[in-house]
Every structure is written in C-alpha cells, then in structure tokens.
PDB file of all heavy atoms in Angstrom:
ATOM      1  N   TYR A   1     236.301  52.595 203.102  1.00 95.00           N
ATOM      2  CA  TYR A   1     234.958  52.881 203.621  1.00 95.00           C
ATOM      3  C   TYR A   1     234.855  54.356 204.026  1.00 95.00           C
ATOM      4  O   TYR A   1     233.912  55.060 203.661  1.00 95.00           O
ATOM      5  CB  TYR A   1     234.683  51.964 204.808  1.00 95.00           C
ATOM      6  CG  TYR A   1     233.495  52.321 205.668  1.00 95.00           C
ATOM      7  CD1 TYR A   1     232.202  52.321 205.158  1.00 95.00           C
ATOM      8  CD2 TYR A   1     233.667  52.620 207.016  1.00 95.00           C
ATOM      9  CE1 TYR A   1     231.114  52.627 205.956  1.00 95.00           C
ATOM     10  CE2 TYR A   1     232.590  52.933 207.829  1.00 95.00           C
ATOM     11  CZ  TYR A   1     231.310  52.939 207.296  1.00 95.00           C
ATOM     12  OH  TYR A   1     230.234  53.246 208.091  1.00 95.00           O
ATOM     13  N   PHE A   2     235.860  54.841 204.738  1.00 96.00           N
ATOM     14  CA  PHE A   2     235.878  56.224 205.212  1.00 96.00           C
ATOM     15  C   PHE A   2     235.947  57.211 204.049  1.00 96.00           C
ATOM     16  O   PHE A   2     235.170  58.178 203.969  1.00 96.00           O
ATOM     17  CB  PHE A   2     237.072  56.414 206.154  1.00 96.00           C
ATOM     18  CG  PHE A   2     237.232  57.813 206.674  1.00 96.00           C
ATOM     19  CD1 PHE A   2     236.172  58.494 207.264  1.00 96.00           C
ATOM     20  CD2 PHE A   2     238.460  58.458 206.585  1.00 96.00           C
ATOM     21  CE1 PHE A   2     236.327  59.783 207.753  1.00 96.00           C
ATOM     22  CE2 PHE A   2     238.623  59.748 207.068  1.00 96.00           C
ATOM     23  CZ  PHE A   2     237.551  60.409 207.653  1.00 96.00           C
ATOM     24  N   VAL A   3     236.871  56.955 203.119  1.00 97.00           N
ATOM     25  CA  VAL A   3     237.044  57.856 201.978  1.00 97.00           C
ATOM     26  C   VAL A   3     235.785  57.874 201.109  1.00 97.00           C
ATOM     27  O   VAL A   3     235.352  58.937 200.630  1.00 97.00           O
ATOM     28  CB  VAL A   3     238.277  57.430 201.155  1.00 97.00           C
ATOM     29  CG1 VAL A   3     238.326  58.157 199.825  1.00 97.00           C
ATOM     30  CG2 VAL A   3     239.553  57.699 201.943  1.00 97.00           C
ATOM     31  N   SER A   4     235.162  56.724 200.914  1.00 95.00           N
ATOM     32  CA  SER A   4     233.933  56.664 200.120  1.00 95.00           C
ATOM     33  C   SER A   4     232.797  57.433 200.787  1.00 95.00           C
ATOM     34  O   SER A   4     232.019  58.114 200.106  1.00 95.00           O
ATOM     35  CB  SER A   4     233.515  55.202 199.904  1.00 95.00           C
ATOM     36  OG  SER A   4     234.491  54.504 199.159  1.00 95.00           O
ATOM     37  N   GLU A   5     232.721  57.348 202.109  1.00 95.00           N
ATOM     38  CA  GLU A   5     231.689  58.101 202.833  1.00 95.00           C
ATOM     39  C   GLU A   5     231.913  59.607 202.672  1.00 95.00           C
ATOM     40  O   GLU A   5     230.951  60.372 202.515  1.00 95.00           O
ATOM     41  CB  GLU A   5     231.714  57.726 204.316  1.00 95.00           C
ATOM     42  CG  GLU A   5     231.188  56.333 204.620  1.00 95.00           C
ATOM     43  CD  GLU A   5     229.672  56.265 204.508  1.00 95.00           C
ATOM     44  OE1 GLU A   5     228.990  56.993 205.232  1.00 95.00           O
ATOM     45  OE2 GLU A   5     229.184  55.476 203.672  1.00 95.00           O
ATOM     46  N   LEU A   6     233.166  60.042 202.718  1.00 96.00           N
ATOM     47  CA  LEU A   6     233.458  61.461 202.516  1.00 96.00           C
ATOM     48  C   LEU A   6     233.083  61.895 201.107  1.00 96.00           C
ATOM     49  O   LEU A   6     232.501  62.968 200.900  1.00 96.00           O
ATOM     50  CB  LEU A   6     234.935  61.738 202.777  1.00 96.00           C
ATOM     51  CG  LEU A   6     235.433  61.641 204.220  1.00 96.00           C
ATOM     52  CD1 LEU A   6     236.935  61.884 204.284  1.00 96.00           C
ATOM     53  CD2 LEU A   6     234.718  62.647 205.118  1.00 96.00           C
ATOM     54  N   ALA A   7     233.414  61.059 200.116  1.00 96.00           N
ATOM     55  CA  ALA A   7     233.113  61.414 198.728  1.00 96.00           C
ATOM     56  C   ALA A   7     231.615  61.553 198.490  1.00 96.00           C
ATOM     57  O   ALA A   7     231.176  62.394 197.696  1.00 96.00           O
ATOM     58  CB  ALA A   7     233.705  60.370 197.782  1.00 96.00           C
ATOM     59  N   LEU A   8     230.806  60.771 199.176  1.00 94.00           N
ATOM     60  CA  LEU A   8     229.348  60.855 199.023  1.00 94.00           C
ATOM     61  C   LEU A   8     228.793  62.188 199.499  1.00 94.00           C
ATOM     62  O   LEU A   8     227.659  62.552 199.168  1.00 94.00           O
ATOM     63  CB  LEU A   8     228.674  59.712 199.788  1.00 94.00           C
ATOM     64  CG  LEU A   8     228.817  58.310 199.184  1.00 94.00           C
ATOM     65  CD1 LEU A   8     228.208  57.270 200.113  1.00 94.00           C
ATOM     66  CD2 LEU A   8     228.172  58.248 197.799  1.00 94.00           C
ATOM     67  N   MET A   9     229.592  62.941 200.268  1.00 95.00           N
ATOM     68  CA  MET A   9     229.156  64.246 200.759  1.00 95.00           C
ATOM     69  C   MET A   9     229.358  65.357 199.728  1.00 95.00           C
ATOM     70  O   MET A   9     228.919  66.492 199.939  1.00 95.00           O
ATOM     71  CB  MET A   9     229.916  64.592 202.039  1.00 95.00           C
ATOM     72  CG  MET A   9     229.639  63.639 203.197  1.00 95.00           C
ATOM     73  SD  MET A   9     230.834  63.817 204.551  1.00 95.00           S
ATOM     74  CE  MET A   9     230.530  65.508 205.081  1.00 95.00           C
ATOM     75  N   ASP A  10     230.040  65.051 198.615  1.00 93.00           N
ATOM     76  CA  ASP A  10     230.259  66.034 197.556  1.00 93.00           C
ATOM     77  C   ASP A  10     229.090  66.005 196.570  1.00 93.00           C
ATOM     78  O   ASP A  10     228.530  64.936 196.278  1.00 93.00           O
ATOM     79  CB  ASP A  10     231.559  65.753 196.817  1.00 93.00           C
ATOM     80  CG  ASP A  10     232.786  66.185 197.609  1.00 93.00           C
ATOM     81  OD1 ASP A  10     232.612  66.611 198.770  1.00 93.00           O
ATOM     82  OD2 ASP A  10     233.911  66.084 197.078  1.00 93.00           O
ATOM     83  N   SER A  11     228.757  67.158 196.025  1.00 93.00           N
ATOM     84  CA  SER A  11     227.544  67.296 195.211  1.00 93.00           C
ATOM     85  C   SER A  11     227.558  66.440 193.952  1.00 93.00           C
ATOM     86  O   SER A  11     226.498  66.023 193.472  1.00 93.00           O
ATOM     87  CB  SER A  11     227.335  68.763 194.825  1.00 93.00           C
ATOM     88  OG  SER A  11     228.410  69.241 194.031  1.00 93.00           O
ATOM     89  N   ASN A  12     228.734  66.154 193.393  1.00 91.00           N
ATOM     90  CA  ASN A  12     228.772  65.327 192.186  1.00 91.00           C
ATOM     91  C   ASN A  12     228.338  63.895 192.445  1.00 91.00           C
ATOM     92  O   ASN A  12     228.038  63.152 191.499  1.00 91.00           O
ATOM     93  CB  ASN A  12     230.177  65.342 191.570  1.00 91.00           C
ATOM     94  CG  ASN A  12     231.246  64.833 192.519  1.00 91.00           C
ATOM     95  OD1 ASN A  12     231.502  65.450 193.538  1.00 91.00           O
ATOM     96  ND2 ASN A  12     231.878  63.724 192.171  1.00 91.00           N
ATOM     97  N   ASN A  13     228.257  63.506 193.722  1.00 89.00           N
ATOM     98  CA  ASN A  13     227.849  62.147 194.073  1.00 89.00           C
ATOM     99  C   ASN A  13     226.461  62.084 194.706  1.00 89.00           C
ATOM    100  O   ASN A  13     226.045  61.026 195.188  1.00 89.00           O
ATOM    101  CB  ASN A  13     228.881  61.523 195.025  1.00 89.00           C
ATOM    102  CG  ASN A  13     230.241  61.398 194.396  1.00 89.00           C
ATOM    103  OD1 ASN A  13     230.376  60.913 193.276  1.00 89.00           O
ATOM    104  ND2 ASN A  13     231.274  61.856 195.089  1.00 89.00           N
ATOM    105  N   TYR A  14     225.729  63.206 194.713  1.00 90.00           N
ATOM    106  CA  TYR A  14     224.357  63.189 195.200  1.00 90.00           C
ATOM    107  C   TYR A  14     223.495  62.344 194.254  1.00 90.00           C
ATOM    108  O   TYR A  14     223.802  62.204 193.062  1.00 90.00           O
ATOM    109  CB  TYR A  14     223.766  64.600 195.238  1.00 90.00           C
ATOM    110  CG  TYR A  14     224.377  65.538 196.264  1.00 90.00           C
ATOM    111  CD1 TYR A  14     224.018  66.886 196.270  1.00 90.00           C
ATOM    112  CD2 TYR A  14     225.291  65.094 197.202  1.00 90.00           C
ATOM    113  CE1 TYR A  14     224.562  67.767 197.198  1.00 90.00           C
ATOM    114  CE2 TYR A  14     225.844  65.960 198.129  1.00 90.00           C
ATOM    115  CZ  TYR A  14     225.488  67.300 198.124  1.00 90.00           C
ATOM    116  OH  TYR A  14     226.028  68.166 199.028  1.00 90.00           O
ATOM    117  N   LEU A  15     222.404  61.812 194.780  1.00 89.00           N
ATOM    118  CA  LEU A  15     221.440  61.126 193.934  1.00 89.00           C
ATOM    119  C   LEU A  15     220.703  62.156 193.076  1.00 89.00           C
ATOM    120  O   LEU A  15     220.255  63.193 193.576  1.00 89.00           O
ATOM    121  CB  LEU A  15     220.436  60.346 194.789  1.00 89.00           C
ATOM    122  CG  LEU A  15     220.970  59.097 195.497  1.00 89.00           C
ATOM    123  CD1 LEU A  15     219.899  58.510 196.411  1.00 89.00           C
ATOM    124  CD2 LEU A  15     221.431  58.055 194.487  1.00 89.00           C
ATOM    125  N   ASN A  16     220.612  61.896 191.780  1.00 83.00           N
ATOM    126  CA  ASN A  16     219.906  62.771 190.837  1.00 83.00           C
ATOM    127  C   ASN A  16     220.374  64.226 190.925  1.00 83.00           C
ATOM    128  O   ASN A  16     219.562  65.141 191.126  1.00 83.00           O
ATOM    129  CB  ASN A  16     218.393  62.705 191.074  1.00 83.00           C
ATOM    130  CG  ASN A  16     217.859  61.291 190.979  1.00 83.00           C
ATOM    131  OD1 ASN A  16     218.204  60.554 190.064  1.00 83.00           O
ATOM    132  ND2 ASN A  16     217.026  60.908 191.951  1.00 83.00           N
ATOM    133  N   PRO A  17     221.669  64.495 190.796  1.00 81.00           N
ATOM    134  CA  PRO A  17     222.149  65.874 190.872  1.00 81.00           C
ATOM    135  C   PRO A  17     221.723  66.680 189.645  1.00 81.00           C
ATOM    136  O   PRO A  17     221.577  66.129 188.553  1.00 81.00           O
ATOM    137  CB  PRO A  17     223.674  65.711 190.915  1.00 81.00           C
ATOM    138  CG  PRO A  17     223.918  64.433 190.175  1.00 81.00           C
ATOM    139  CD  PRO A  17     222.748  63.544 190.500  1.00 81.00           C
ATOM    140  N   VAL A  18     221.508  67.961 189.850  1.00 83.00           N
ATOM    141  CA  VAL A  18     221.197  68.878 188.756  1.00 83.00           C
ATOM    142  C   VAL A  18     222.227  69.993 188.804  1.00 83.00           C
ATOM    143  O   VAL A  18     222.158  70.888 189.646  1.00 83.00           O
ATOM    144  CB  VAL A  18     219.772  69.453 188.875  1.00 83.00           C
ATOM    145  CG1 VAL A  18     219.498  70.425 187.721  1.00 83.00           C
ATOM    146  CG2 VAL A  18     218.738  68.333 188.885  1.00 83.00           C
ATOM    147  N   GLY A  19     223.181  69.950 187.896  1.00 82.00           N
ATOM    148  CA  GLY A  19     224.255  70.935 187.897  1.00 82.00           C
ATOM    149  C   GLY A  19     224.164  71.850 186.702  1.00 82.00           C
ATOM    150  O   GLY A  19     224.144  71.392 185.562  1.00 82.00           O
ATOM    151  N   VAL A  20     224.102  73.146 186.942  1.00 81.00           N
ATOM    152  CA  VAL A  20     223.994  74.108 185.841  1.00 81.00           C
ATOM    153  C   VAL A  20     225.138  75.125 185.889  1.00 81.00           C
ATOM    154  O   VAL A  20     225.049  76.198 185.283  1.00 81.00           O
ATOM    155  CB  VAL A  20     222.625  74.838 185.851  1.00 81.00           C
ATOM    156  CG1 VAL A  20     221.504  73.871 185.545  1.00 81.00           C
ATOM    157  CG2 VAL A  20     222.397  75.509 187.209  1.00 81.00           C
ATOM    158  N   GLY A  21     226.182  74.809 186.620  1.00 79.00           N
ATOM    159  CA  GLY A  21     227.337  75.696 186.683  1.00 79.00           C
ATOM    160  C   GLY A  21     228.404  75.286 185.692  1.00 79.00           C
ATOM    161  O   GLY A  21     228.241  74.321 184.924  1.00 79.00           O
ATOM    162  N   GLU A  22     229.525  76.016 185.702  1.00 77.00           N
ATOM    163  CA  GLU A  22     230.605  75.704 184.766  1.00 77.00           C
ATOM    164  C   GLU A  22     231.524  74.625 185.322  1.00 77.00           C
ATOM    165  O   GLU A  22     232.344  74.079 184.606  1.00 77.00           O
ATOM    166  CB  GLU A  22     231.408  76.984 184.440  1.00 77.00           C
ATOM    167  CG  GLU A  22     232.520  77.351 185.414  1.00 77.00           C
ATOM    168  CD  GLU A  22     232.031  77.824 186.780  1.00 77.00           C
ATOM    169  OE1 GLU A  22     230.803  77.986 186.969  1.00 77.00           O
ATOM    170  OE2 GLU A  22     232.880  78.020 187.666  1.00 77.00           O
ATOM    171  N   ARG A  23     231.399  74.331 186.603  1.00 80.00           N
ATOM    172  CA  ARG A  23     232.238  73.300 187.216  1.00 80.00           C
ATOM    173  C   ARG A  23     231.353  72.470 188.140  1.00 80.00           C
ATOM    174  O   ARG A  23     231.012  72.892 189.233  1.00 80.00           O
ATOM    175  CB  ARG A  23     233.383  73.930 188.001  1.00 80.00           C
ATOM    176  CG  ARG A  23     234.343  72.895 188.593  1.00 80.00           C
ATOM    177  CD  ARG A  23     235.383  73.514 189.497  1.00 80.00           C
ATOM    178  NE  ARG A  23     236.402  74.225 188.743  1.00 80.00           N
ATOM    179  CZ  ARG A  23     236.602  75.533 188.825  1.00 80.00           C
ATOM    180  NH1 ARG A  23     235.843  76.257 189.632  1.00 80.00           N
ATOM    181  NH2 ARG A  23     237.548  76.123 188.128  1.00 80.00           N
ATOM    182  N   GLU A  24     230.987  71.276 187.693  1.00 85.00           N
ATOM    183  CA  GLU A  24     230.046  70.448 188.451  1.00 85.00           C
ATOM    184  C   GLU A  24     230.626  69.096 188.837  1.00 85.00           C
ATOM    185  O   GLU A  24     229.900  68.194 189.220  1.00 85.00           O
ATOM    186  CB  GLU A  24     228.760  70.248 187.640  1.00 85.00           C
ATOM    187  CG  GLU A  24     227.982  71.530 187.384  1.00 85.00           C
ATOM    188  CD  GLU A  24     227.463  72.177 188.658  1.00 85.00           C
ATOM    189  OE1 GLU A  24     227.407  71.502 189.697  1.00 85.00           O
ATOM    190  OE2 GLU A  24     227.122  73.378 188.615  1.00 85.00           O
ATOM    191  N   GLY A  25     231.927  68.942 188.699  1.00 87.00           N
ATOM    192  CA  GLY A  25     232.566  67.712 189.120  1.00 87.00           C
ATOM    193  C   GLY A  25     232.268  66.528 188.226  1.00 87.00           C
ATOM    194  O   GLY A  25     232.329  65.375 188.684  1.00 87.00           O
ATOM    195  N   ARG A  26     231.956  66.793 186.975  1.00 91.00           N
ATOM    196  CA  ARG A  26     231.675  65.690 186.054  1.00 91.00           C
ATOM    197  C   ARG A  26     232.993  65.062 185.590  1.00 91.00           C
ATOM    198  O   ARG A  26     233.930  65.766 185.227  1.00 91.00           O
ATOM    199  CB  ARG A  26     230.892  66.199 184.850  1.00 91.00           C
ATOM    200  CG  ARG A  26     229.533  66.795 185.213  1.00 91.00           C
ATOM    201  CD  ARG A  26     228.771  67.190 183.960  1.00 91.00           C
ATOM    202  NE  ARG A  26     227.468  67.755 184.297  1.00 91.00           N
ATOM    203  CZ  ARG A  26     227.207  69.058 184.355  1.00 91.00           C
ATOM    204  NH1 ARG A  26     228.182  69.921 184.070  1.00 91.00           N
ATOM    205  NH2 ARG A  26     226.009  69.491 184.662  1.00 91.00           N
ATOM    206  N   VAL A  27     233.032  63.733 185.605  1.00 91.00           N
ATOM    207  CA  VAL A  27     234.231  63.005 185.169  1.00 91.00           C
ATOM    208  C   VAL A  27     233.799  61.967 184.135  1.00 91.00           C
ATOM    209  O   VAL A  27     232.949  61.117 184.416  1.00 91.00           O
ATOM    210  CB  VAL A  27     234.933  62.315 186.356  1.00 91.00           C
ATOM    211  CG1 VAL A  27     236.148  61.529 185.890  1.00 91.00           C
ATOM    212  CG2 VAL A  27     235.353  63.344 187.404  1.00 91.00           C
ATOM    213  N   TYR A  28     234.381  62.043 182.942  1.00 91.00           N
ATOM    214  CA  TYR A  28     233.962  61.172 181.845  1.00 91.00           C
ATOM    215  C   TYR A  28     234.421  59.728 182.048  1.00 91.00           C
ATOM    216  O   TYR A  28     233.663  58.787 181.874  1.00 91.00           O
ATOM    217  CB  TYR A  28     234.513  61.715 180.526  1.00 91.00           C
ATOM    218  CG  TYR A  28     234.206  60.834 179.341  1.00 91.00           C
ATOM    219  CD1 TYR A  28     232.939  60.828 178.757  1.00 91.00           C
ATOM    220  CD2 TYR A  28     235.186  59.986 178.814  1.00 91.00           C
ATOM    221  CE1 TYR A  28     232.651  60.006 177.678  1.00 91.00           C
ATOM    222  CE2 TYR A  28     234.913  59.157 177.741  1.00 91.00           C
ATOM    223  CZ  TYR A  28     233.643  59.179 177.171  1.00 91.00           C
ATOM    224  OH  TYR A  28     233.372  58.357 176.115  1.00 91.00           O
ATOM    225  N   SER A  29     235.677  59.541 182.412  1.00 95.00           N
ATOM    226  CA  SER A  29     236.247  58.199 182.476  1.00 95.00           C
ATOM    227  C   SER A  29     236.001  57.540 183.835  1.00 95.00           C
ATOM    228  O   SER A  29     236.297  58.123 184.873  1.00 95.00           O
ATOM    229  CB  SER A  29     237.753  58.259 182.201  1.00 95.00           C
ATOM    230  OG  SER A  29     238.372  57.028 182.478  1.00 95.00           O
ATOM    231  N   ASP A  30     235.472  56.320 183.793  1.00 95.00           N
ATOM    232  CA  ASP A  30     235.290  55.574 185.037  1.00 95.00           C
ATOM    233  C   ASP A  30     236.625  55.258 185.694  1.00 95.00           C
ATOM    234  O   ASP A  30     236.726  55.200 186.920  1.00 95.00           O
ATOM    235  CB  ASP A  30     234.540  54.265 184.773  1.00 95.00           C
ATOM    236  CG  ASP A  30     233.050  54.485 184.575  1.00 95.00           C
ATOM    237  OD1 ASP A  30     232.549  55.540 185.027  1.00 95.00           O
ATOM    238  OD2 ASP A  30     232.393  53.622 183.980  1.00 95.00           O
ATOM    239  N   LEU A  31     237.672  55.058 184.886  1.00 96.00           N
ATOM    240  CA  LEU A  31     238.996  54.780 185.447  1.00 96.00           C
ATOM    241  C   LEU A  31     239.501  55.978 186.248  1.00 96.00           C
ATOM    242  O   LEU A  31     240.058  55.834 187.339  1.00 96.00           O
ATOM    243  CB  LEU A  31     239.988  54.440 184.331  1.00 96.00           C
ATOM    244  CG  LEU A  31     239.776  53.118 183.600  1.00 96.00           C
ATOM    245  CD1 LEU A  31     240.774  52.978 182.453  1.00 96.00           C
ATOM    246  CD2 LEU A  31     239.914  51.940 184.560  1.00 96.00           C
ATOM    247  N   VAL A  32     239.313  57.172 185.689  1.00 94.00           N
ATOM    248  CA  VAL A  32     239.734  58.383 186.389  1.00 94.00           C
ATOM    249  C   VAL A  32     238.907  58.569 187.658  1.00 94.00           C
ATOM    250  O   VAL A  32     239.439  58.921 188.717  1.00 94.00           O
ATOM    251  CB  VAL A  32     239.603  59.623 185.471  1.00 94.00           C
ATOM    252  CG1 VAL A  32     239.869  60.894 186.250  1.00 94.00           C
ATOM    253  CG2 VAL A  32     240.577  59.507 184.307  1.00 94.00           C
ATOM    254  N   ARG A  33     237.616  58.318 187.567  1.00 94.00           N
ATOM    255  CA  ARG A  33     236.743  58.473 188.732  1.00 94.00           C
ATOM    256  C   ARG A  33     237.173  57.524 189.862  1.00 94.00           C
ATOM    257  O   ARG A  33     237.249  57.918 191.026  1.00 94.00           O
ATOM    258  CB  ARG A  33     235.295  58.209 188.342  1.00 94.00           C
ATOM    259  CG  ARG A  33     234.284  58.492 189.464  1.00 94.00           C
ATOM    260  CD  ARG A  33     232.850  58.195 189.044  1.00 94.00           C
ATOM    261  NE  ARG A  33     232.432  59.064 187.955  1.00 94.00           N
ATOM    262  CZ  ARG A  33     232.260  58.679 186.714  1.00 94.00           C
ATOM    263  NH1 ARG A  33     232.507  57.404 186.366  1.00 94.00           N
ATOM    264  NH2 ARG A  33     231.866  59.516 185.794  1.00 94.00           N
ATOM    265  N   LYS A  34     237.459  56.280 189.505  1.00 95.00           N
ATOM    266  CA  LYS A  34     237.886  55.306 190.509  1.00 95.00           C
ATOM    267  C   LYS A  34     239.244  55.685 191.092  1.00 95.00           C
ATOM    268  O   LYS A  34     239.483  55.507 192.294  1.00 95.00           O
ATOM    269  CB  LYS A  34     237.952  53.910 189.894  1.00 95.00           C
ATOM    270  CG  LYS A  34     236.594  53.327 189.550  1.00 95.00           C
ATOM    271  CD  LYS A  34     236.748  51.992 188.826  1.00 95.00           C
ATOM    272  CE  LYS A  34     235.391  51.438 188.419  1.00 95.00           C
ATOM    273  NZ  LYS A  34     235.530  50.171 187.638  1.00 95.00           N
ATOM    274  N   ARG A  35     240.132  56.193 190.226  1.00 94.00           N
ATOM    275  CA  ARG A  35     241.464  56.593 190.693  1.00 94.00           C
ATOM    276  C   ARG A  35     241.375  57.653 191.777  1.00 94.00           C
ATOM    277  O   ARG A  35     242.194  57.694 192.699  1.00 94.00           O
ATOM    278  CB  ARG A  35     242.274  57.117 189.508  1.00 94.00           C
ATOM    279  CG  ARG A  35     243.627  57.688 189.862  1.00 94.00           C
ATOM    280  CD  ARG A  35     244.387  58.112 188.621  1.00 94.00           C
ATOM    281  NE  ARG A  35     245.647  58.744 188.996  1.00 94.00           N
ATOM    282  CZ  ARG A  35     245.925  60.019 188.801  1.00 94.00           C
ATOM    283  NH1 ARG A  35     245.041  60.809 188.227  1.00 94.00           N
ATOM    284  NH2 ARG A  35     247.089  60.527 189.167  1.00 94.00           N
ATOM    285  N   HIS A  36     240.383  58.525 191.679  1.00 95.00           N
ATOM    286  CA  HIS A  36     240.237  59.622 192.639  1.00 95.00           C
ATOM    287  C   HIS A  36     239.160  59.343 193.692  1.00 95.00           C
ATOM    288  O   HIS A  36     238.754  60.267 194.403  1.00 95.00           O
ATOM    289  CB  HIS A  36     239.925  60.919 191.898  1.00 95.00           C
ATOM    290  CG  HIS A  36     241.052  61.412 191.047  1.00 95.00           C
ATOM    291  ND1 HIS A  36     242.082  62.180 191.543  1.00 95.00           N
ATOM    292  CD2 HIS A  36     241.336  61.216 189.727  1.00 95.00           C
ATOM    293  CE1 HIS A  36     242.937  62.450 190.576  1.00 95.00           C
ATOM    294  NE2 HIS A  36     242.511  61.875 189.469  1.00 95.00           N
ATOM    295  N   TYR A  37     238.694  58.097 193.791  1.00 94.00           N
ATOM    296  CA  TYR A  37     237.692  57.713 194.788  1.00 94.00           C
ATOM    297  C   TYR A  37     236.448  58.609 194.725  1.00 94.00           C
ATOM    298  O   TYR A  37     235.866  58.957 195.754  1.00 94.00           O
ATOM    299  CB  TYR A  37     238.290  57.737 196.192  1.00 94.00           C
ATOM    300  CG  TYR A  37     239.173  56.559 196.485  1.00 94.00           C
ATOM    301  CD1 TYR A  37     240.542  56.610 196.228  1.00 94.00           C
ATOM    302  CD2 TYR A  37     238.658  55.376 196.997  1.00 94.00           C
ATOM    303  CE1 TYR A  37     241.364  55.529 196.480  1.00 94.00           C
ATOM    304  CE2 TYR A  37     239.468  54.292 197.262  1.00 94.00           C
ATOM    305  CZ  TYR A  37     240.814  54.367 196.993  1.00 94.00           C
ATOM    306  OH  TYR A  37     241.620  53.290 197.243  1.00 94.00           O
ATOM    307  N   ASN A  38     236.073  59.033 193.516  1.00 94.00           N
ATOM    308  CA  ASN A  38     234.883  59.853 193.274  1.00 94.00           C
ATOM    309  C   ASN A  38     235.006  61.295 193.757  1.00 94.00           C
ATOM    310  O   ASN A  38     234.013  62.029 193.761  1.00 94.00           O
ATOM    311  CB  ASN A  38     233.625  59.208 193.876  1.00 94.00           C
ATOM    312  CG  ASN A  38     233.269  57.900 193.201  1.00 94.00           C
ATOM    313  OD1 ASN A  38     233.342  57.787 191.975  1.00 94.00           O
ATOM    314  ND2 ASN A  38     232.919  56.898 193.988  1.00 94.00           N
ATOM    315  N   PHE A  39     236.200  61.722 194.161  1.00 94.00           N
ATOM    316  CA  PHE A  39     236.421  63.149 194.446  1.00 94.00           C
ATOM    317  C   PHE A  39     236.746  63.850 193.128  1.00 94.00           C
ATOM    318  O   PHE A  39     237.558  63.348 192.340  1.00 94.00           O
ATOM    319  CB  PHE A  39     237.590  63.348 195.408  1.00 94.00           C
ATOM    320  CG  PHE A  39     237.303  62.948 196.823  1.00 94.00           C
ATOM    321  CD1 PHE A  39     237.790  61.757 197.338  1.00 94.00           C
ATOM    322  CD2 PHE A  39     236.548  63.771 197.646  1.00 94.00           C
ATOM    323  CE1 PHE A  39     237.532  61.388 198.654  1.00 94.00           C
ATOM    324  CE2 PHE A  39     236.279  63.409 198.959  1.00 94.00           C
ATOM    325  CZ  PHE A  39     236.774  62.223 199.466  1.00 94.00           C
ATOM    326  N   SER A  40     236.157  65.003 192.897  1.00 94.00           N
ATOM    327  CA  SER A  40     236.466  65.718 191.652  1.00 94.00           C
ATOM    328  C   SER A  40     236.431  67.234 191.795  1.00 94.00           C
ATOM    329  O   SER A  40     236.785  67.944 190.852  1.00 94.00           O
ATOM    330  CB  SER A  40     235.488  65.299 190.537  1.00 94.00           C
ATOM    331  OG  SER A  40     234.167  65.646 190.878  1.00 94.00           O
TER     332      SER A  40
END
C-alpha cells in the first residue's frame, strides 16, 4: 500500500500524462512494471 502510494507520485503514473521528453518512464512490459511496483 505504501509503495504503491509513493509510485503514484511519479509522473509516469499520473492520469492522462503527456510526456514529450527523451525519458518519460514508459515501460512496455506489464511484468517489468509490476516487478518494479510502477517505479521507472
């Protein structure tokens, strides 16, 4: 619960994010995303 709340504070987990930089925390694999608790 705590780790998930922290991850929601990162921009890659915002609702409707718009990222135009070279590093926006995009993760292709759901397995990888789950492994890192949505931190990227």
Side-chain angles (χ1 to χ4, degrees):
Y1 166 63
F2 178 51
V3 169
S4 297
E5 288 286 300
L6 290 177
L8 288 175
M9 297 166 63
D10 284 5
S11 62
N12 59 295
N13 298 312
Y14 292 172
L15 289 174
N16 304 315
V18 179
V20 293
E22 85 290 354
R23 184 187 286 116
E24 296 296 343
R26 298 184 180 99
V27 178
Y28 176 77
S29 170
D30 283 339
L31 291 176
V32 173
R33 186 181 297 108
K34 291 175 183 177
R35 175 177 176 247
H36 293 275
Y37 284 91
N38 295 318
F39 288 103
S40 63

